[in-house]
Structure formats: structure tokens, C-alpha cells
Amino acid sequence: MSNRDDNFLNWLGVREKLDWTAGKWFGGFVAVVICLLLFWVFVLVIGALVAMTGAMFGGPVTDLRGISIFVTAAFGAPFIIWRTLVASKQAELQAKALFNDKINAATEELAARKQVIRVFGEGEDKKELTDWTDDLVRRAVAIDRLEGLAREEPDEALRIAQLLCVYVKELSKEHP
């Protein structure tokens, strides 16, 4: 079940391949890491000084629960921030996937057909012919749904327009 893409950076939520030679991305990454480490060390030093000061001047240090909560929060905060950023990116990707699913459902309806039974003759000469014909109502609903999706995501309007252009071109070949 191993995958070549399974590595530490992928686990952290970094989906793009990092170019360590490019100063733009690498510099920003290093700056964020250094700032987080400095903040972390600063918080830990201040907390340790407060705990030592209380112990030196006769303050009660018997309650280790407060110190353990402080240390846990100091160590856990960067991971919570990182997980929030990763969850945000995942939500954006899920929204894009949902939008693509909506477009796929609407385009499937563009090819909607319905079964029609036609009766010829009367009495004993009566014959039934089963035929398939275009379902114009479902196709109109699909076009309306695509228009609504274009209004929902204006950045995708060109993509939807191109899809409808292909549909009209292919339909005009069948019915010149």
C-alpha cells in the first residue's frame, strides 16, 4: 500500500513539489519556521522563568497541572495552526470536487432520452413500436442548471460555455 507520493511533506499537507533552489518559496518557508521556533522558545522561556520565580520566592509549585497545561499548549499550538491551514486547503479542494460533480451531473442530462411507445393501426392490426426520442425537458433543465453553475462560479463560466458550444456543434451535426 505504499505510494511514491507518501512522504513527510505530503503528510503535512504540502501537495506541490518544493523547489528548494527557488528563493521565493524557500525563503518564505524558512521565515515562517524560524518565527514559529523563536516564538515557541520565547513562550517556553517566559513560562519557565515564571515557574522558577514562584518556586524561588516561596510560591506554591505543588500544582503541576498548570505548568503541564502551559507546556502542552506551547508545544501543541504550532501543530494546531498547521492542521487548520491543511484543513482549509482540503475544504477548498472538496468544494472544487463538488462543483465538478455538479457539472458532470448536468452534462449527463444533456444527452437525456426517453422511451416512447407508438401505436399503429386499430383492432387486430394494432402494432406497438417502442422508440427512443430526445427528452427536451430534461435537456432544458440541464442547460438551466449549467447556467446556474456559471452564475455560482463566474470563474468557471468560460468552461461551461465551451462545454455548451461542443454540445450545440454535435447536436447540429445530427440535425443540420
Side-chain angles (χ1 to χ4, degrees):
M1 200 165 152
S2 68
N3 188 357
R4 288 185 186 176
D5 292 337
D6 288 340
N7 58 23
F8 182 68
L9 290 175
N10 196 6
W11 179 77
L12 289 175
V14 177
R15 302 284 185 241
E16 299 145 5
K17 188 164 183 117
L18 299 179
D19 184 9
W20 298 105
T21 60
K24 184 173 108 180
W25 200 95
F26 182 68
F29 179 74
V30 169
V32 168
V33 169
I34 289 174
C35 286
L36 283 175
L37 288 175
L38 288 176
F39 175 73
W40 202 17
V41 167
F42 176 74
V43 168
L44 287 176
V45 167
I46 295 296
L49 288 175
V50 168
M52 288 185 332
T53 304
M56 288 172 59
F57 293 110
V61 189
T62 56
D63 185 21
L64 293 177
R65 183 178 58 156
I67 295 173
S68 65
I69 289 173
F70 169 76
V71 170
T72 303
F75 280 105
F79 294 108
I80 291 173
I81 293 169
W82 186 269
R83 178 62 188 133
T84 303
L85 294 173
V86 170
S88 166
K89 287 181 183 178
Q90 287 176 345
E92 289 173 10
L93 290 175
Q94 287 176 348
K96 288 180 182 178
L98 178 63
F99 186 77
N100 284 336
D101 289 344
K102 289 178 182 179
I103 287 180
N104 287 339
T107 54
E108 287 175 6
E109 291 294 314
L110 286 176
R113 296 179 64 83
K114 63 182 177 181
Q115 188 175 10
V116 177
I117 299 174
R118 295 190 179 144
V119 179
F120 295 105
E122 293 181 11
E124 301 227 354
D125 293 334
K126 183 175 166 181
K127 294 183 181 179
E128 292 183 357
L129 177 66
T130 304
D131 193 16
W132 289 92
T133 183
D134 296 338
D135 192 348
L136 298 179
V137 174
R138 283 175 56 192
R139 288 183 179 188
V141 169
I143 292 171
D144 183 56
R145 190 179 309 155
L146 286 170
E147 179 187 358
L149 290 173
R151 290 180 189 207
E152 181 182 325
E153 291 286 335
D155 295 339
E156 298 290 329
L158 180 63
R159 176 179 161 202
I160 294 171
Q162 290 172 341
L163 179 79
L164 287 172
C165 285
V166 169
Y167 170 71
V168 169
K169 284 179 186 176
E170 292 299 318
L171 194 63
S172 65
K173 288 180 184 177
E174 292 178 17
H175 306 285

